[in-house]
Amino acid sequence: MRWPVPAALIAILGIVGAAAARNVDYAALTPEKFASEAERLKIAPISPLPDISARPLFTIRLAAALKHETLALGNYCAVAVTNDVAAMMQKLVEDLKTEQEVAATGPEIIIALSQARSYRRCIEVAEMNIRCITTVMLVGSKWPDSAAAKQISVRVERDSSVGGFCENVARGVGIVTREAGQQFLAAALAD
């Protein structure tokens, strides 16, 4: 026998879940937590950090307007999620340089990330089981010494399990955004 859940309790839990899901916390998303969080939210595939051993040193420039709200398409989990892509890229580069030994074997590469957009579509696939499909687009350029800029564009789309009260929406957006950042850096550092 199913017990009816009072509407007030559902509303309270929905508000609490929605409030906790509003900001992506990139400071807490270490390389180890990235893989385990992706597994917990059933996000696949994810790529490893780019290999920067035997790569030229690089600096990254970030546009000032990379902090944005992820656009919600539809009615489920339609809370505003702040997605600070500049903070994510700074953390990603920091993690990358910490995890791997950097060997300067060539001229410095300058990587500029100029645009970031993200949106999500959430659907209820079963009772108390909501999945969100998040799409992240990153656009920028890279400049090797004395060379013309090469445009870089990355688009990553993954779906995640966000829970029955949308409590993991921001975590899912963060995982997909970091995945896009890793692919962006891998494309920028590729020869």
Side-chain angles (χ1 to χ4, degrees), residues 26 29-31 34 47-50 52 58 60 85-100 113 138 177-186:
Y26 288 112
L29 197 57
T30 62
F34 172 65
S47 56
L49 283 170
I52 61 167
F58 67 95
I60 188 157
V85 177
M88 181 276 300
M89 287 301 287
Q90 289 168 343
K91 177 83 168 86
L92 182 57
V93 170
E94 183 182 295
D95 290 345
L96 184 63
K97 290 184 176 180
T98 300
E99 290 288 312
Q100 298 171 334
L113 181 58
L138 302 177
T177 304
R178 183 170 168 126
E179 171 67 18
Q182 290 184 181
Q183 289 189 22
F184 182 87
L185 282 180

Side-chain angles (χ1 to χ4, degrees), residues 61-125:
R61 296 179 185 163
L62 302 168
L66 292 177
K67 183 175 183 176
H68 66 280
E69 284 186 0
T70 299
L71 180 63
L73 307 176
N75 294 327
Y76 273 105
C77 305
V79 296
V81 174
T82 301
N83 191 9
D84 190 351
V85 177
M88 181 276 300
M89 287 301 287
Q90 289 168 343
K91 177 83 168 86
L92 182 57
V93 170
E94 183 182 295
D95 290 345
L96 184 63
K97 290 184 176 180
T98 300
E99 290 288 312
Q100 298 171 334
E101 188 175 327
V102 180
T105 60
E108 184 179 49
I109 294 175
I110 298 170
I111 301 167
L113 181 58
S114 56
Q115 293 179 30
R117 281 180 255 141
S118 55
Y119 60 87
R120 67 188 188 280
R121 301 177 308 274
C122 300
I123 57 169
E124 185 176 28
V125 294

Side-chain angles (χ1 to χ4, degrees), residues 128-146:
M128 301 302 290
N129 182 2
I130 298 172
R131 302 219 29 110
C132 290
I133 301 165
T134 302
T135 304
V136 177
M137 293 154 287
L138 302 177
V139 178
S141 308
K142 83 170 194 177
W143 292 270
D145 247 7
S146 306

